[in-house]
């Protein structure tokens, strides 16, 4: 029995280590090549929203990231970064602990030491023995193997978050989601080679981008409602990739997969490059 357990452990370690190499994204050339716009691409990038948890998984948690990365080693792992009362960074989607854990109240009102006593719930609401990960935990786990999309929540300084990223020499395996052009410009001033993502909701936003200093190493967060192909073409002429979310009420992720399949494929056909989805494995299987 001991031999079986040992062999199983070796197999699991081999799967984990072979999914992607450590320091796959150790320099700007690697991430630039990963995100280079490719006309006629047959598969979209898959961005696992909140890590891509199923009902029995926890959001924003390393076991969930591991699960998705093993089966989709090119998936982008999205996570939500928040700051604690004592200025540490943890992962949690909501501003409060109520829905996702066995505690209540705002994350910003808790110290890191107290948050370590909190346990996470699954998407279905079942309590687990998992602790809330710190952002540093995730960077140490990743080792530049996968691209991490950092949704730095309001009230958390993205420049400070990026300084934590620098501590792990991980600035070429992440991109930062910014909530305004002003935020994006401030981050870009401190980190000129960093990839950023910013909302581009129409032609007006696109024109502002064209006259800014941001139209390089940029991902456009475009409306969930599909736009005319000319909108995506204009982004692509700037070398900007388009990300489209398919999660949330009345969106594709909420429909049975056979019913939603044509919609996902139409998204890619019109010019959407990145599908941000709650069901990354199922969506990836369609292409």
């Amino acid at each position: 029995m001991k031999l079986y357990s040992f062999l199983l452990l070796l197999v699991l370690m081999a799967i984990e280590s072979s999914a992607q190499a450590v320091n796959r994204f150790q320099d700007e050339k690697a991430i630039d090549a990963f995100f280079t716009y490719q006309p006629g691409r047959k598969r979209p990038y898959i961005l696992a929203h909140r890590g891509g948890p199923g009902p029995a998984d926890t959001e924003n948690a390393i076991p969930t990231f591991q699960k998705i990365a093993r089966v989709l080693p090119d998936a982008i792992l999205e996570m939500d970064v928040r700051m604690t009362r004592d200025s540490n960074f943890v992962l949690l989607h909501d501003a409060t602990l109520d829905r996702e854990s066995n505690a209540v109240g705002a994350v910003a009102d808790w110290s890191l030491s107290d948050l370590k006593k909190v346990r996470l719930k699954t998407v279905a609401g079942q309590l687990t023995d998992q602790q809330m990960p710190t952002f540093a935990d995730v960077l140490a786990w990743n080792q530049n193997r996968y691209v991490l999309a950092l949704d730095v929540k309001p009230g958390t300084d993205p420049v400070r978050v990026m300084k934590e990223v620098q501590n792990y020499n991980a600035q070429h395996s992440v991109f930062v989601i910014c909530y305004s052009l002003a935020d994006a410009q401030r981050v870009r001033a401190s980190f000129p080679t960093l990839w950023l993502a910013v909302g581009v909701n129409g032609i007006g936003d696109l024109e502002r981008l064209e006259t800014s200093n941001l139209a390089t190493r940029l991902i456009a967060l475009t409306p969930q409602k599909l736009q005319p192909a000319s909108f995506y073409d204009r982004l692509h002429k700037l070398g900007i990739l388009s990300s489209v979310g398919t999660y949330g009420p009345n969106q594709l992720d909420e429909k049975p997969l056979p019913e939603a399949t044509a919609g996902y494929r139409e998204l890619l056909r019109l010019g959407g490059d990145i599908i941000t989805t709650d069901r990354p494995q199922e969506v990836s299987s369609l292409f």
Side-chain angles (χ1 to χ4, degrees):
M1 189 66 179
K2 289 182 179 179
L3 178 60
Y4 173 79
S5 298
F6 176 71
L7 291 174
L8 178 61
L9 178 61
L10 288 180
V11 169
L12 292 175
M13 290 174 64
I15 291 172
E16 177 70 13
S17 63
S18 65
Q20 287 294 359
V22 169
N23 285 328
R24 176 190 180 202
F25 295 103
Q26 65 180 335
D27 55 39
E28 62 191 76
K29 290 181 180 178
I31 195 166
D32 287 355
F34 182 78
F35 280 131
T36 296
Y37 170 63
Q38 300 173 26
R41 185 182 172 99
K42 301 301 182 184
R43 293 181 55 82
Y45 297 84
I46 300 295
L47 192 153
H49 185 231
R50 306 184 194 182
D57 301 317
T58 47
E59 301 178 9
N60 281 286
I62 290 174
T64 303
F65 298 148
Q66 288 174 321
K67 176 181 175 180
I68 295 302
R70 283 171 184 155
V71 293
L72 298 177
D74 281 328
I76 301 163
L77 304 173
E78 191 254 3
M79 58 201 62
D80 303 287
V81 185
R82 292 191 178 276
M83 191 166 68
T84 66
R85 185 183 70 209
D86 48 354
S87 299
N88 289 287
F89 299 117
V90 295
L91 300 191
L92 200 76
H93 179 269
D94 296 357
T96 64
L97 297 158
D98 306 37
R99 179 180 66 86
E100 298 166 79
S101 79
N102 63 346
V104 296
V107 175
D109 292 338
W110 286 64
S111 68
L112 180 59
S113 61
D114 286 337
L115 284 174
K116 285 184 177 295
K117 303 170 188 175
V118 170
R119 293 298 178 265
L120 297 179
K121 292 179 180 178
T122 66
V123 171
Q126 294 297 310
L127 189 62
T128 73
D129 61 359
Q130 292 181 39
Q131 290 183 341
M132 184 185 308
T134 67
F135 181 45
D137 290 337
V138 176
L139 294 172
W141 163 78
N142 187 40
Q143 299 181 80
N144 295 328
R145 292 177 296 166
Y146 310 105
V147 174
L148 310 180
L150 310 182
D151 187 346
V152 180
K153 292 300 188 182
T156 302
D157 184 354
V159 173
R160 288 186 60 183
V161 169
M162 280 304 302
K163 288 180 179 177
E164 179 84 325
V165 170
Q166 277 189 318
N167 291 337
Y168 288 81
N169 296 315
Q171 55 267 38
H172 304 301
S173 61
V174 306
F175 68 85
V176 174
I177 296 169
C178 298
Y179 282 80
S180 69
L181 276 181
D183 280 348
Q185 287 169 328
R186 188 167 73 86
V187 177
R188 177 60 58 80
S190 297
F191 299 93
T193 64
L194 177 67
W195 278 79
L196 301 174
V198 68
V200 181
N201 294 312
I203 296 300
D205 288 344
L206 185 47
E207 289 174 344
R208 281 187 285 275
L209 265 184
E210 289 172 335
T211 58
S212 75
N213 63 347
L214 289 173
T216 57
R217 294 190 171 99
L218 193 72
I219 294 165
L221 306 176
T222 58
Q224 289 185 301
K225 181 180 179 180
L226 288 180
Q227 304 297 297
S230 58
F231 174 78
Y232 304 106
D233 288 344
R234 193 161 167 182
L235 285 169
H236 293 154
K237 286 177 181 177
L238 295 171
I240 297 173
L241 299 177
S242 168
S243 175
V244 182
T246 57
Y247 57 89
N250 302 314
Q251 299 300 323
L252 289 173
D253 285 358
E254 299 300 310
K255 298 177 180 179
L257 193 64
E259 181 182 333
T261 294
Y264 291 117
R265 290 175 175 165
E266 179 73 354
L267 188 160
L268 178 66
R269 189 188 69 79
L270 283 178
D273 304 292
I274 302 171
I275 298 180
T276 299
T277 175
D278 280 335
R279 50 182 181 187
Q281 292 172 261
E282 294 90 337
V283 172
S284 180
S285 72
L286 302 177
F287 298 93

